[in-house]
Amino acid sequence: MPAFASLDPAAAPAGDAPVIYIMKRYPRLTETFILNEIRAMERLGAKLHIVSLLPPEPPPHHPMVAEVEAPLHPVPPMSEAAGRRQIAAAHRRAIAAAPGRYLAAFGRAMLFSARSPNPLSVWKQFLRGGVIATLCRSHGIRHIHAHFANAPAAAAWFASMMTGLPFSFTAHAKDLYLTPPQVIRKRALAASFVATCTGYNVKYLAGLLDGETDRIKLVYHGIDLGLFGARRQDAAVREAGETLILSVGRLVPKKGHDDLIAACARLRRQGIAFRCRIIGEGPLRETLQAQIAAHGLDGVVTLDGAMTHADLIALYATANVFALAPRITEDGDRDGIPNVIAEAMAIGVPVVSTRVSGIPELVRDGETGRLVPPRDPAALAAAIEDILADPATARRLAEAGRARLEGEFDLWTTTRRLHALLGCAGCVPQAREGGGTRFRADSPTAPSSLAKASS
């Protein structure tokens, strides 16, 4: 793990004032959409610092982590004596720097904890906020931005209270719908703006803010189309010599893999020859494997685990159809627009998915792909069969899907929007391709070629 960066104000770097990014955990293999955004922000000229509230995931990491220049500041662990001493030191500095602001933040934490069903969580974010506040002063930060509306946004808000700096956050999916609405409302009204990755989320947030919608900004997750443009999907499919249904996503309930397996059983009973590969890891592996066996699909449907991103891109190109069947779970968890859908479309693979959350904003039924109701294996099987039986329609949908990405989901288009919202419009873009790294080659955060399938 990288050492916690110095809290000494003398260590503050020279140059234009940077933005601090707060994540629950960084690097994280399944959050390549944030990694892509950070890379693009830096190449557009933004100066960043990154705070990880939890220790970084152990290796392997996505190779693109090596291209990020922003220094990484893991919050000291509260479970360790040394970490607690660092946190206490940071809070002493925060008090000394602005005692009135600190006391106001402390009073707000007392109020929040009295009203919260989980007061310990409130105080945890307050402690993290004090560390972030001292980091902001040490490194001349001008704006605080958090990814996710739950713990990162809470810690960002406390840091904002202690420093007077503006803060903002990006709301995604689980963090937005599993956080109490009244909590989201308070954080959104305190923020300078709230970015979110789907129009579906925009409508939800607008309902919480009673017309205070100017601060809600739609910023889609962009795809770096340059990584996909050179693939020849049709040639790869012919070379593969089999009919492949591909799905990518964590093995968790909201991904609907059980519906896809049930759909595959229907296709098999109809005499359709195919192979289905599901890429990803998760807690449902044993349950899904048992379902595959119960349907007699061993060797036809396979759970292939994690895969390097480079290998995944090559695999997309061999697929006849990409299928993912997300749903809203009983506790309200759901996807936004799964990045893997956009990646498949970028390669030129026709997509079948469900009418859930923001997916219809990218996959338009009959235009850029096929959509079916969630939890409907029969409809899912029928849509997959239609695509497999009609190569001309499949090609038309794939071409329209790629064009849709180029119009509104290009990484550089979407990141420039956030770049401007964060006040980086005057930053000077980097003249070179790629960047250096703050990770030592011998450190636990050194990059590796292995990456899990992103969700």
Side-chain angles (χ1 to χ4, degrees):
M1 183 194 315
F4 185 65
S6 170
L7 294 177
D8 183 356
D16 295 335
V19 172
I20 201 163
Y21 260 48
I22 303 172
M23 271 89 80
K24 187 174 182 180
R25 194 187 297 274
Y26 177 90
R28 196 169 198 174
L29 294 179
T30 57
E31 293 176 0
T32 54
F33 54 95
I34 299 177
L35 177 58
N36 284 332
E37 176 185 298
I38 289 171
R39 289 172 59 245
M41 286 286 291
E42 288 191 329
R43 294 187 189 188
L44 290 172
K47 241 179 144 174
L48 305 177
H49 284 249
I50 299 172
V51 167
S52 179
L53 300 183
L54 296 174
E57 278 188 351
H61 296 128
H62 196 290
M64 287 187 294
V65 169
E67 299 177 22
V68 174
E69 294 191 333
L72 174 61
H73 309 273
V75 172
M78 299 177 194
S79 60
E80 299 176 7
R84 292 193 293 272
R85 287 194 294 271
Q86 288 185 329
I87 292 170
H91 276 258
R92 286 194 295 271
R93 293 180 186 179
I95 293 170
R101 289 190 180 278
Y102 186 91
L103 289 175
F106 184 83
R108 191 68 67 92
M110 290 184 65
L111 178 64
F112 290 167
S113 65
R115 295 176 176 176
S116 172
N118 188 2
L120 288 179
S121 177
V122 174
W123 288 109
K124 183 182 292 185
Q125 307 321 321
F126 175 81
L127 291 174
R128 290 166 167 168
V131 173
I132 296 165
T134 296
L135 276 169
C136 288
R137 291 191 174 98
S138 298
H139 296 283
I141 301 298
R142 61 177 175 79
H143 188 98
I144 303 167
H145 186 73
H147 261 285
F148 299 104
N150 43 24
W157 189 8
F158 279 124
S160 174
M161 293 179 204
M162 295 180 196
T163 59
L165 293 172
F167 86 99
S168 54
F169 62 91
T170 298
H172 295 271
K174 180 179 180 179
D175 58 308
L176 180 59
Y177 294 101
L178 297 191
T179 301
Q182 68 273 17
V183 174
I184 294 291
R185 173 182 166 82
K186 289 176 182 177
R187 290 174 188 167
L189 290 175
S192 59
F193 70 88
V194 179
T196 193
C197 53
T198 68
Y200 178 92
N201 289 352
V202 169
K203 292 179 182 178
Y204 177 77
L205 285 164
L208 298 183
L209 299 186
D210 299 329
E212 290 274 344
T213 57
D214 288 347
R215 70 185 65 240
I216 306 171
K217 309 297 181 182
L218 174 61
V219 182
Y220 285 122
H221 291 160
I223 295 294
D224 189 349
L225 294 173
L227 296 176
F228 302 91
R231 301 287 171 176
R232 296 185 60 83
Q233 195 262 347
D234 287 345
V237 167
R238 288 195 298 271
E239 185 178 340
E242 66 177 356
T243 297
L244 176 62
I245 301 168
L246 178 64
S247 190
V248 182
R250 288 175 296 133
L251 307 184
V252 294
K254 68 179 178 179
K255 298 296 182 180
H257 292 311
D258 55 340
D259 290 332
L260 176 59
I261 293 168
C264 287
R266 286 176 171 268
L267 294 172
R268 187 72 165 177
R269 289 196 297 269
Q270 293 167 16
I272 298 173
F274 66 92
R275 184 180 177 199
C276 177
R277 297 183 65 180
I278 299 174
I279 310 300
E281 280 293 352
L284 292 184
R285 168 173 279 279
E286 290 186 7
T287 301
L288 295 174
Q289 192 64 62
Q291 183 188 6
I292 290 169
H295 283 297
L297 293 173
D298 290 312
V300 177
V301 179
T302 57
L303 305 179
D304 291 349
M307 181 173 288
T308 67
H309 196 250
D311 286 345
L312 182 58
I313 291 175
L315 183 59
Y316 282 130
T318 68
N320 298 81
V321 61
F322 181 89
L324 190 66
R327 60 167 72 123
I328 299 174
T329 61
E330 292 181 1
D331 64 359
D333 192 11
R334 69 201 75 183
D335 272 317
I337 301 175
N339 266 28
V340 292
I341 292 177
E343 290 180 350
M345 293 171 72
I347 287 287
V349 186
V351 167
V352 177
S353 193
T354 52
R355 295 186 185 91
V356 166
S357 191
I359 294 172
E361 297 169 45
L362 177 58
V363 184
R364 295 171 173 170
D365 188 36
E367 181 183 340
T368 63
R370 291 294 310 275
L371 289 177
V372 301
R375 302 178 187 269
D376 191 341
L380 185 64
I384 293 172
E385 182 182 8
D386 287 347
I387 285 180
L388 295 179
D390 189 348
T393 296
R395 189 175 300 107
R396 174 180 61 80
L397 294 175
E399 291 172 355
R402 171 77 188 202
R404 175 90 177 111
L405 290 174
E406 292 171 350
E408 292 191 55
F409 291 84
D410 173 70
L411 175 65
W412 302 102
T413 300
T414 60
T415 306
R416 282 190 179 93
R417 177 162 172 74
L418 184 62
H419 191 259
L421 288 169
L422 292 173
C424 300
C427 299
V428 179
Q430 296 180 10
R432 55 189 171 79
E433 288 296 321
T437 175
R438 299 288 176 146
F439 296 106
R440 303 189 313 274
D442 60 347
S443 79
T445 53
S448 165
S449 63
L450 183 65
K452 289 180 183 175
S454 59
S455 60

